[in-house]
Amino acid sequence: MATLEEAFHQYRDEDNHELQLITSRLNALLTSQSFLLAAAAGVFFGFKSDPSMQNLLLVSVIAALALLIAASAAMAITIGCSVLRAWHRKGTALIAEDEEKEDEKQVLKGLHLHRKRPDLNHILSVDVCFQLPPYVFSGLWIAVILWLWWRT
């Protein structure tokens, strides 16, 4: 059976691993959305005259693909944040278990910041900053699709 300190280090390793997964998902989302936005703008604004129906259809396909990517990223990032919160609850429980001991027997002192999770800073940095971009991009692409349908 793992000691309390070993369990805490495992928690920190898993927390870091999950955070890296979420970050890579967000980076992939931002990269794909940037390329697709540039492609849609290039097709739509790249012509001197009024865009043809074929160009509008191509922009619609790009928007639909981008919306699909944003929606799947939203799901993956939300799941990752849920797993991260579960690891944070585990870490909080380990810290609480350690703090129940007498001062000289505590093994986790100095290994954490004594923050209650989730605090407001944590909610803003993880939940909002990670989970908001996919929904913003989804809304943008839905607006583009609706505008294109309204225009035709």
Side-chain angles (χ1 to χ4, degrees):
M1 182 154 159
T3 66
L4 190 60
E5 188 173 5
E6 290 169 341
F8 188 76
H9 284 295
Q10 179 192 10
Y11 144 71
R12 295 291 296 266
D13 289 344
E14 292 297 330
D15 180 83
N16 188 38
H17 171 72
E18 199 61 45
L19 197 55
Q20 288 176 351
L21 282 176
I22 296 168
T23 302
S24 69
R25 292 169 185 159
L26 184 60
N27 285 336
L29 169 74
L30 295 175
T31 301
S32 67
Q33 296 300 298
S34 297
F35 282 120
L36 291 169
L37 190 58
V43 169
F44 189 78
F45 295 114
F47 301 96
K48 293 181 182 173
S49 63
D50 201 30
S52 68
M53 189 57 133
Q54 183 179 3
N55 294 344
L56 293 176
L57 179 63
L58 183 55
V59 173
S60 295
V61 169
I62 292 170
L65 175 63
L67 178 59
L68 180 66
I69 291 170
S72 63
M75 188 171 26
I77 290 170
T78 300
I79 290 169
C81 287
S82 176
V83 171
L84 190 62
R85 274 192 294 280
W87 277 110
H88 288 169
R89 285 191 297 274
K90 169 118 173 121
T92 299
L94 292 171
I95 291 167
E97 182 182 336
D98 189 54
E99 288 175 344
E100 290 174 357
K101 298 177 182 177
E102 297 173 17
D103 276 355
E104 64 273 354
K105 293 184 179 179
Q106 291 180 3
V107 295
L108 301 182
K109 265 188 172 177
L111 296 178
H112 58 91
L113 299 175
H114 301 284
R115 284 179 27 201
K116 299 278 186 217
R117 286 203 173 152
D119 62 5
L120 181 60
N121 291 334
H122 190 264
I123 289 170
L124 290 174
S125 67
V126 173
D127 291 336
V128 174
C129 290
F130 283 147
Q131 294 185 61
L132 187 61
Y135 295 106
V136 170
F137 280 114
S138 295
L140 168 77
W141 292 113
I142 289 170
V144 167
I145 291 169
L146 291 175
W147 181 79
L148 288 170
W149 284 349
W150 173 77
R151 184 183 170 143
T152 56

